[in-house]
């Protein structure tokens, strides 16, 4: 993603990284840096959410929206803040390669504050786009058969095109035809009920239940794919060195993550002279550290390399859960509340881990999202009996946790209503899209009223 007004100096043409980041890097220094930067240790306190949406023209939704209309809507936004780049409540906007818009909320010190801030800024975003005759559509894949084009020509995305095209169509579909909801929570403490290792384990084990309960991408190019979460299926078919979960079995997530980063292929080497951002095929960052690249890597190279990795749970100091399809309207509220309740309430977390235990695959199963369980979640969602039972148990645990959270009565009712509407009936939002397609009543998914 590229900020609408870049704040990263390495994203500005011709700019150079800070001098501290350009010295040659050693493997031990790389591992130490990642342990400190990717996992901020302390009692969990903050929550945030990133909401991606497709943009459709109200009059001709099956046509791409020209970049100039996107820019007109974005220019009309009431951006402010200290650097003039955020919405009224502090959310920031970025554009994805296919013209998807992502709103990233500011870190909030409570779930209720996060929901209030995000809802307020999403309202401003939707109003600005509606004034241009544009609609934000929350679904995991673009449901319409319209041309998928790259609206950004940033060197990063040109490099991603080259890298992913070598292995099939999935990377291009991901960049231009998918959208997600990402829930962000603090990494955790060294030990105790909020220990990092426990939160890391729970976030990964929750993954297939979150895929299933919120599956919302049954269509691609206007046709059913046979998968409730086609978006998740697309991710499972991409470069495994950067989309699989880190290998299990390492007690400390910081060690597992460091191994993962060093073993991942380098997608691009940034250049500031106008040359393409290329990298030798098959070069891992570990290979680069050992002299395999055109020059020694730096700390800035390592930090940028980490932004090109897309596992289901990505550590950015906090934990970013990336497996959830974009949701219609304010449907993002329920997964945000569910995940926060289960990770931040120790009793709810214990109940969720117990409910998820029967789903655990054999040791020789492929890593998520290529494992059988994750594939079932993407294909069947909560129509799968095991995933349905686990989802209902997790919703029940979250309901109890929200009952213990002051001021969360409305959120609790919203989560309970969702559980009754979808997993209790073996359904998910994807089924609404399929019902509408069969009935011929809608061309894009419905946008629900705010819960």
């Amino acid at each position: 993603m590229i900020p609408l007004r870049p704040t990263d100096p390495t994203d500005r043409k011709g700019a150079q990284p800070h001098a501290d980041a350009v010295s040659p890097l050693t493997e031990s220094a790389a591992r130490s840096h990642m342990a400190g930067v990717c996992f901020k240790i302390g009692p969990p306190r903050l929550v945030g959410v990133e909401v991606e949406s497709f943009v459709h023209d109200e009059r001709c939704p099956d046509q791409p929206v020209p970049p100039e209309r996107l820019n007109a809507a974005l220019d009309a936004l009431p951006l402010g803040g200290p650097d003039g780049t955020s919405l009224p409540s502090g959310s920031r906007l970025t554009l994805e390669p296919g013209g998807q818009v992502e709103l990233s909320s500011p870190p909030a010190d409570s779930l209720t504050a996060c929901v209030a801030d995000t809802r307020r800024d999403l309202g401003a975003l939707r109003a600005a786009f509606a004034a241009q005759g544009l609609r934000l559509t929350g679904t995991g894949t673009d449901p319409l058969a319209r041309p998928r084009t790259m609206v950004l020509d940033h060197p990063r995305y040109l490099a991603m095109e080259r890298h992913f095209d070598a292995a099939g169509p999935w990377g291009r579909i991901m960049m231009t035809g998918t959208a997600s909801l990402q829930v962000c929570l603090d990494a955790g403490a060294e030990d105790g009920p909020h220990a990092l290792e426990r939160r890391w384990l729970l976030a990964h084990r929750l993954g297939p239940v979150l895929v299933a309960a919120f599956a919302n991408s049954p269509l691609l190019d206007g046709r059913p794919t046979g998968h409730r979460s086609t978006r998740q299926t697309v991710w499972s078919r991409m470069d495994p060195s950067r989309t699989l979960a880190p290998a299990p079995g390492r007690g400390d997530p910081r060690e597992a993550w460091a191994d993962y980063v060093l073993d991942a292929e380098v997608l691009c080497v940034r250049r500031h002279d106008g040359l393409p951002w290329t990298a030798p095929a098959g070069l891992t960052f570990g290979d680069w550290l050992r002299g395999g690249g055109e020059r020694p890597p730096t700390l800035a190279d390592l930090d940028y390399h980490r932004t090109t990795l897309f596992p289901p749970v990505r550590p950015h100091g906090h934990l970013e859960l990336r497996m959830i399809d974009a949701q219609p309207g304010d449907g993002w509220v329920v997964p945000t509340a569910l995940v926060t309740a289960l990770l931040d309430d120790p009793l709810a977390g214990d109940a969720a881990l117990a409910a998820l235990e029967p789903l655990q695959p054999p040791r020789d199963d492929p890593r998520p999202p290529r494992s059988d369980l994750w594939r079932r979640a993407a294909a069947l969602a909560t129509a799968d009996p095991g995933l349905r039972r686990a989802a209902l148990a997790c919703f029940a645990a979250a309901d109890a946790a929200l009952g213990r959270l002051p001021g969360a009565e409305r959120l609790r009712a919203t989560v309970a209503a969702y559980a009754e509407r979808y997993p209790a009936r073996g359904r998910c939002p994807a089924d609404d899209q399929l019902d509408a397609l069969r009935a011929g009543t809608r061309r894009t998914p419905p946008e629900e009223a705010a819960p």
Side-chain angles (χ1 to χ4, degrees):
M1 69 191 77
I2 298 299
L4 302 182
R5 294 174 176 82
T7 55
D8 177 1
T10 63
D11 275 332
R12 297 193 185 105
K13 186 177 180 180
Q16 298 295 322
H18 190 277
D20 291 344
V22 300
S23 301
L25 185 66
T26 65
E27 182 169 339
S28 61
R31 289 179 175 275
S32 176
H33 175 74
M34 285 188 283
V37 168
C38 300
F39 298 91
K40 300 295 187 182
I41 301 302
R45 184 175 63 88
L46 301 176
V47 57
V49 64
E50 300 173 16
V51 182
E52 292 181 2
S53 304
F54 292 102
V55 182
H56 289 101
D57 189 321
E58 288 280 14
R59 293 169 298 178
C60 46
D62 55 354
Q63 293 299 313
V65 177
E68 55 268 22
R69 292 192 64 198
L70 280 174
N71 291 331
L74 293 169
D75 287 344
L77 285 166
L79 299 181
D83 55 6
T85 64
S86 60
L87 285 163
S89 293
S91 299
R92 297 185 180 278
L93 296 175
T94 50
L95 276 181
E96 298 297 323
Q100 308 96 313
V101 175
E102 179 179 87
L103 181 146
S104 300
S105 77
D109 59 8
S110 72
L111 172 61
T112 53
C114 175
V115 169
D117 290 345
T118 306
R119 183 178 282 136
R120 188 178 304 115
D121 284 349
L122 274 172
L125 180 63
R126 289 170 180 151
F129 274 68
Q132 298 292 326
L134 302 175
R135 179 184 186 186
L136 299 181
T137 303
T139 182
T141 50
D142 191 337
L144 300 182
R146 58 177 183 166
R148 288 192 297 269
T149 58
M150 295 274 286
V151 302
L152 300 177
D153 60 358
H154 191 279
R156 171 189 177 94
Y157 295 127
L158 299 179
M160 289 177 71
E161 271 191 303
R162 286 190 295 268
H163 179 85
F164 289 129
D165 282 353
W170 311 110
R172 189 178 292 265
I173 293 172
M174 177 276 291
M175 288 191 287
T176 61
T178 66
S180 69
L181 168 72
Q182 298 161 25
V183 181
C184 302
L185 295 168
D186 284 329
E190 285 289 0
D191 50 32
H194 297 296
L196 164 62
E197 185 176 343
R198 179 181 183 276
R199 289 166 69 83
W200 180 259
L201 175 67
L202 178 54
H204 282 88
R205 290 195 173 181
L206 270 175
V209 165
L210 297 175
V211 170
F214 302 106
N216 188 35
S217 51
L219 308 176
L220 189 64
D221 293 330
R223 297 187 300 272
T225 65
H227 297 253
R228 294 300 195 271
S229 179
T230 304
R231 172 188 164 274
Q232 188 59 55
T233 299
V234 168
W235 277 105
S236 72
R237 296 177 179 177
M238 292 169 54
D239 174 4
S241 82
R242 61 187 358 94
T243 59
L244 297 187
R250 299 292 298 267
D252 191 332
R254 289 165 288 199
E255 295 181 14
W257 179 245
D259 290 343
Y260 183 89
V261 172
L262 298 183
D263 289 343
E265 290 188 24
V266 177
L267 187 145
C268 62
V269 177
R270 291 173 300 163
R271 297 178 176 86
H272 305 284
D273 50 11
L275 294 175
W277 292 12
T278 58
L283 177 75
T284 69
F285 201 90
D287 295 335
W288 195 6
L289 281 171
R290 293 184 284 271
E294 62 193 57
R295 59 167 175 79
T298 66
L299 191 60
D301 292 320
L302 173 63
D303 285 338
Y304 200 84
H305 172 65
R306 291 190 292 106
T307 71
T308 70
L309 307 181
F310 311 106
V313 180
R314 184 165 66 174
H316 274 311
H318 56 270
L319 302 183
E320 177 188 82
L321 280 70
R322 303 177 46 82
M323 69 288 290
I324 306 169
D325 282 355
Q327 301 293 299
D330 277 351
W332 56 271
V333 171
V334 175
T336 302
L338 179 76
V339 171
T340 304
L342 295 180
L343 263 71
D344 284 1
D345 184 295
L347 294 177
D350 287 343
L353 283 171
L356 295 165
E357 183 61 34
L359 295 178
Q360 296 319 299
R363 286 187 174 273
D364 59 352
D365 213 35
R367 281 184 281 155
R370 295 193 175 190
S371 68
D372 175 69
L373 178 62
W374 281 68
R375 290 178 184 273
R376 295 202 324 264
L380 302 174
T382 54
D384 178 275
L387 284 162
R388 180 183 179 185
R389 285 192 296 272
L392 288 173
C394 288
F395 271 86
D399 177 77
L402 292 170
R404 294 188 284 269
L405 184 66
E409 294 83 6
R410 186 180 177 195
L411 282 175
R412 184 184 186 189
T414 299
V415 172
Y418 186 97
E420 177 60 31
R421 178 178 178 181
Y422 291 116
R425 302 179 185 182
R427 289 177 59 88
C428 60
D431 293 302
D432 294 341
Q433 289 196 50
L434 294 172
D435 290 348
L437 181 71
R438 285 188 285 266
T441 56
R442 294 189 180 98
R443 303 182 71 190
T444 57
E447 293 298 319
E448 299 173 352

